[in-house]
Amino acid sequence: MLAKDKLYAEAEAVYRKFFAENVRIYVVGGITEPTAALDETTTGRFQSDSMKLYRALHQRRAKIVEGRPHLASLARLPGVSREGSVATLAACVDSTSVLLRGDAGYESRGLVISERLYFTRSGTSLKIQSSQWKELTSC
């Protein structure tokens, strides 16, 4: 049980670091290459899908001009696995206060997203390998 608690504490720390970097990237208007923080917290399909979003933000010159995403909840999901993951978390992020603006009149409001995050070992590091998400009306 102690090992499982340690694993999930590590997964929570990895997710919180990723979440902070994700917000930072949205505030600056995207990126074209993975940052050190993304390399430390993500891998595989999750990183490549995230980079598609960040590159699209960069291309549109879209960034957060109002509000900030709020991590409303983070829960452990022991026993839930996907593609060999070793830990799974459920997060609910409320971004309804967020306004994105970019070139050519691009504007978008934030959503409430429920996400399952699947973690794997990459060397000695725990990283987010994939996720599943859905839009909600509230957390």
Side-chain angles (χ1 to χ4, degrees):
M1 196 63 173
L2 191 58
K4 189 75 96 177
D5 280 344
K6 185 177 176 185
L7 173 68
Y8 275 93
E10 183 182 0
E12 289 169 7
V14 167
Y15 178 72
R16 288 179 190 283
K17 184 173 186 173
F18 165 77
F19 182 80
E21 182 66 353
N22 184 60
V23 171
R24 188 194 71 76
I25 291 167
Y26 270 81
V27 167
V28 301
I31 55 175
T32 58
E33 296 299 323
T35 63
L38 286 176
D39 280 336
E40 291 170 18
T41 59
T42 66
T43 190
R45 188 173 67 227
F46 189 84
Q47 186 178 90
S48 62
D49 288 348
S50 296
M51 285 306 302
K52 285 178 190 173
L53 291 172
Y54 301 148
R55 286 183 181 114
L57 284 173
H58 182 76
Q59 185 176 16
R60 286 185 172 146
R61 296 189 177 146
K63 63 182 175 181
I64 292 176
V65 295
E66 181 180 299
R68 291 292 182 270
H70 168 69
L71 178 59
S73 66
L74 188 60
R76 299 172 178 187
L77 297 176
V80 176
S81 181
R82 180 181 185 202
E83 299 171 356
S85 63
V86 297
T88 304
L89 295 177
C92 191
V93 177
D94 184 341
S95 297
T96 54
S97 71
V98 170
L99 175 63
L100 284 172
R101 274 207 188 113
D103 283 352
Y106 175 79
E107 190 169 285
S108 179
R109 279 271 173 206
L111 306 169
V112 176
I113 300 293
S114 172
E115 188 169 30
R116 278 192 179 186
L117 300 129
Y118 302 92
F119 294 77
T120 191
R121 282 271 173 225
S122 179
T124 59
S125 301
L126 194 64
K127 297 183 180 189
I128 306 166
Q129 72 175 9
S130 64
S131 71
Q132 296 172 306
W133 64 273
K134 62 182 175 182
E135 185 179 342
L136 300 176
T137 55
S138 66
C139 285

